[in-house]
Amino acid sequence: MPREITAYSNPLVKRVRNLRDKRHRKDEGLFLAEGLRILAEAEETGVLPLWLFFAADGAGHPIARRLIAKVEAAGGEAIETTRDILHKLSGKDNPQTVIGVYAQPETGLERIDRSAAPIWLVAQSLRDPGNLGTMLRTGDAVGAGGLILIDDCVDPFSVEAVRASMGAMFTQRIAQARWPDFLAWLRAGPGLLVATHLEASVDYRVPDYGKPTFLLIGNEAQGLPADYAAAADVRVKIPMRGKADSLNAAVACAVMAYEVLGRIDGVRPPASRETA
Amino acid sequence: MPREITAYSNPLVKRVRNLRDKRHRKDEGLFLAEGLRILAEAEETGVLPLWLFFAADGAGHPIARRLIAKVEAAGGEAIETTRDILHKLSGKDNPQTVIGVYAQPETGLERIDRSAAPIWLVAQSLRDPGNLGTMLRTGDAVGAGGLILIDDCVDPFSVEAVRASMGAMFTQRIAQARWPDFLAWLRAGPGLLVATHLEASVDYRVPDYGKPTFLLIGNEAQGLPADYAAAADVRVKIPMRGKADSLNAAVACAVMAYEVLGRIDGVRPPASRETA
């Protein structure tokens, strides 16, 4: 039977509330995800929350009922609470009716099985949690295996990143590594490293892409460091026809990822000429 | 000579500070843009702020000096101020060294000259200002003419949208219209209306696209209403290989826009088969 918590001062409420802070997330090895849709997606991939908070008036939903039963069967705890406390936990004015507290997966490179997918996304010094979550969502959409975060990226377990991922947080592998360690790991097996680089001379629609392709996207403001780009097997640029010199990082990642997907699928050949 | 404002209580500071609120922006017909890079881009397209606030320690930058001179020559006002006041105006912890106050352009459909560009972006009930700004940025990148906002979209002149547009706010036309008015306007001239729709059966790489192509993207949560999609000339879907059923709206817009650009440029033919 779910227990009920209605007091702001409850220690578990305080503890979970603190997970909106990166240091607490790291110390606890936990993170938050919100909403029936995302929690159901996690469940489908076999991931259940350790704690499941739900609003009394949302408990009747069939997905909520199933989640509550599964969490309790797995030894987790389902907790009935108020909308006010859900608001406090999520920080949103209109909180979802369920919030789950999940264990952070390990993010070592050694957990990545590169043969499991034809595309892997790699982001360097990414700053914006929305971009990070959006890249996970795009990765899921193109059948990528996961997102490898290089150097000092924003926390992939932040509430904003999890929200923007729309559940892809649970379907995509996440790894974190310093650049030299990533490069050593990459070169120890098959894989084509493709860098998007503003100074590249090759249109992104022209090269052949192999399996697996690792798509490397640089920091939002600076782009990739020149030596990182130089270490890639291929450097490509996306045509820019206007005044601006770059795309949003998550947008550039998606345009590249769909190009590689079309090529890997054999839906279309490389472009015969460049225009960029 | 620039005047100096150092008091929070200054009426102009209060007035400009209020422009972070939609109602005030609408009443005043003004909006804010921040940062040398974006203000310089506006200037290059011939748009100058009515007021230019700059930090005393940032006034030495050649771009800042040029902006100050141009704003004063055009009858606007350049105002030297403190970092604290710039922080108050921008709402950012690390404010840019310049902030401009601009007149909102007219957003009637009658201002759109469809023959001016081969691609136009159309968004319906867009909710997220970051997505809106990112679409403007993508529109600039693909050489689109502008963004047409259908029904109740988030304010394109919000600080977040302007920030995400990275200057494209000033290079792209922005129009606002109700759906029936847009449709009547569209059908009064040439143009192919292409809807991205989850229930479409045609892979986005297969159809022919014409000039101009109007790319219609639906609301982040609901997608396009069925009758809106039905009114389009072509309904396409982007392949989804994972668990998720949709892409981020700005990402979907960009993947489509680059597909259309490649086709319009003649860089590549339509795909010969579908995979979605």
Side-chain angles (χ1 to χ4, degrees):
Chain A
M1 272 293 293
R3 75 161 145 150
E4 203 180 326
I5 294 181
T6 56
Y8 282 108
S9 57
N10 181 285
L12 184 60
V13 168
K14 284 195 171 170
R15 190 173 156 204
V16 172
R17 170 67 184 75
N18 280 339
L19 295 177
R20 286 167 55 197
D21 180 79
K22 182 179 176 177
R23 188 170 52 81
H24 285 280
R25 281 196 300 275
K26 198 176 174 189
D27 289 349
E28 296 250 32
L30 298 173
F31 71 100
L32 295 175
E34 312 155 275
L36 277 181
R37 187 169 157 180
I38 290 175
L39 269 63
E41 204 152 296
E43 181 221 332
E44 274 174 44
T45 60
V47 183
L48 289 168
L50 307 176
W51 289 279
L52 175 70
F53 290 84
F54 63 93
D57 58 328
H61 194 289
I63 297 178
R65 284 210 305 270
R66 194 178 72 222
L67 281 168
I68 292 167
K70 285 209 171 186
V71 166
E72 295 192 322
E77 197 176 13
I79 296 159
E80 186 175 314
T81 190
T82 63
R83 290 270 177 174
D84 278 353
I85 286 180
L86 288 174
H87 164 67
K88 186 174 175 177
L89 295 180
S90 79
K92 283 177 91 172
D93 284 339
N94 253 320
Q96 302 271 359
T97 57
V98 294
I99 293 180
V101 181
Y102 292 86
Q104 292 186 13
E106 293 295 323
T107 60
L109 270 180
E110 67 282 357
R111 283 184 71 252
I112 301 283
D113 169 14
R114 72 180 79 195
S115 68
I119 304 176
W120 294 85
L121 306 181
V122 188
Q124 174 258 336
S125 296
L126 204 65
R127 284 279 166 265
D128 184 87
N131 282 342
L132 194 155
T134 301
M135 285 188 190
L136 287 169
R137 186 177 179 184
T138 299
D140 177 274
V142 297
L147 175 62
I148 301 169
L149 301 169
I150 303 293
D151 298 343
D152 296 313
C153 287
V154 67
D155 183 10
F157 303 109
S158 73
V159 172
E160 295 78 12
V162 174
R163 208 175 269 163
S165 85
M166 291 292 287
M169 167 65 57
F170 297 101
T171 64
Q172 295 284 292
R173 292 265 178 207
I174 298 172
Q176 295 178 301
R178 308 302 304 180
W179 174 250
D181 300 326
F182 166 71
L183 213 53
W185 173 86
L186 179 76
R187 296 312 182 194
L192 186 80
L193 183 61
V194 178
T196 51
H197 195 51
L198 298 178
E199 289 156 36
S201 58
V202 179
D203 185 301
Y204 76 111
R205 293 164 295 198
V206 169
D208 284 318
Y209 297 110
K211 280 187 203 179
T213 288
F214 291 82
L215 277 181
L216 176 58
I217 308 286
N219 165 268
E220 288 95 338
Q222 266 81 45
L224 282 177
D227 58 325
Y228 288 33
D233 300 300
V234 183
R235 283 154 295 283
V236 295
K237 66 180 172 187
I238 298 172
M240 302 292 299
R241 296 299 171 77
K243 294 257 181 193
D245 59 4
S246 68
L247 291 165
N248 165 278
V251 159
C253 177
V255 169
M256 283 298 307
Y258 270 96
E259 178 67 21
V260 173
L261 177 64
R263 221 69 79 64
I264 285 175
D265 280 347
V267 175
R268 65 190 344 165
S272 53
R273 66 179 180 85
E274 310 198 10
T275 63
Chain B
M1 272 294 292
R3 75 162 148 153
E4 204 180 327
I5 295 182
T6 55
Y8 282 109
S9 57
N10 181 286
L12 184 61
V13 168
K14 286 195 170 171
R15 190 174 156 204
V16 171
R17 169 68 184 77
N18 280 339
L19 295 178
R20 286 166 57 197
D21 179 78
K22 183 180 175 178
R23 188 170 51 82
H24 284 280
R25 281 197 298 274
K26 199 176 173 191
D27 289 349
E28 295 249 35
L30 298 173
F31 70 100
L32 294 175
E34 311 154 277
L36 276 180
R37 188 168 157 180
I38 291 176
L39 269 62
E41 205 151 295
E43 181 221 330
E44 274 175 43
T45 58
V47 182
L48 289 167
L50 306 177
W51 291 278
L52 175 71
F53 290 83
F54 62 95
D57 59 329
H61 194 290
I63 297 177
R65 282 210 307 270
R66 194 178 70 221
L67 281 169
I68 292 166
K70 285 209 170 187
V71 165
E72 295 192 324
E77 197 177 14
I79 296 158
E80 186 175 316
T81 190
T82 64
R83 290 269 178 175
D84 278 353
I85 287 180
L86 288 174
H87 164 66
K88 186 174 176 179
L89 295 180
S90 79
K92 284 177 90 172
D93 284 340
N94 253 319
Q96 303 270 359
T97 57
V98 294
I99 293 179
V101 181
Y102 292 85
Q104 292 187 13
E106 293 295 322
T107 61
L109 270 179
E110 68 281 358
R111 283 185 70 251
I112 301 283
D113 169 14
R114 71 182 78 195
S115 68
I119 304 176
W120 294 85
L121 306 181
V122 187
Q124 174 258 335
S125 296
L126 204 65
R127 284 279 166 264
D128 184 88
N131 282 341
L132 193 155
T134 301
M135 285 188 190
L136 287 168
R137 187 176 178 184
T138 299
D140 176 274
V142 297
L147 175 62
I148 300 169
L149 300 169
I150 302 293
D151 297 344
D152 295 313
C153 288
V154 67
D155 184 11
F157 303 109
S158 73
V159 172
E160 296 79 11
V162 174
R163 207 175 269 162
S165 85
M166 292 290 288
M169 168 64 59
F170 297 102
T171 63
Q172 295 284 291
R173 290 267 177 205
I174 298 172
Q176 295 178 303
R178 308 304 302 181
W179 174 249
D181 299 326
F182 166 71
L183 213 53
W185 173 86
L186 179 77
R187 296 312 183 197
L192 186 80
L193 182 61
V194 177
T196 52
H197 194 51
L198 299 177
E199 288 156 37
S201 58
V202 179
D203 185 302
Y204 77 111
R205 294 164 294 198
V206 169
D208 284 319
Y209 296 110
K211 279 186 203 177
T213 287
F214 291 81
L215 276 181
L216 175 59
I217 309 287
N219 165 268
E220 288 95 339
Q222 266 80 46
L224 281 177
D227 57 324
Y228 287 33
D233 300 301
V234 184
R235 284 154 294 283
V236 295
K237 66 181 172 188
I238 298 173
M240 301 293 298
R241 295 300 172 77
K243 294 256 182 195
D245 60 2
S246 69
L247 291 165
N248 164 279
V251 160
C253 176
V255 170
M256 283 298 307
Y258 270 96
E259 177 67 21
V260 173
L261 177 63
R263 221 69 77 63
I264 285 175
D265 279 348
V267 174
R268 66 190 344 164
S272 53
R273 65 180 178 85
E274 310 196 11
T275 64

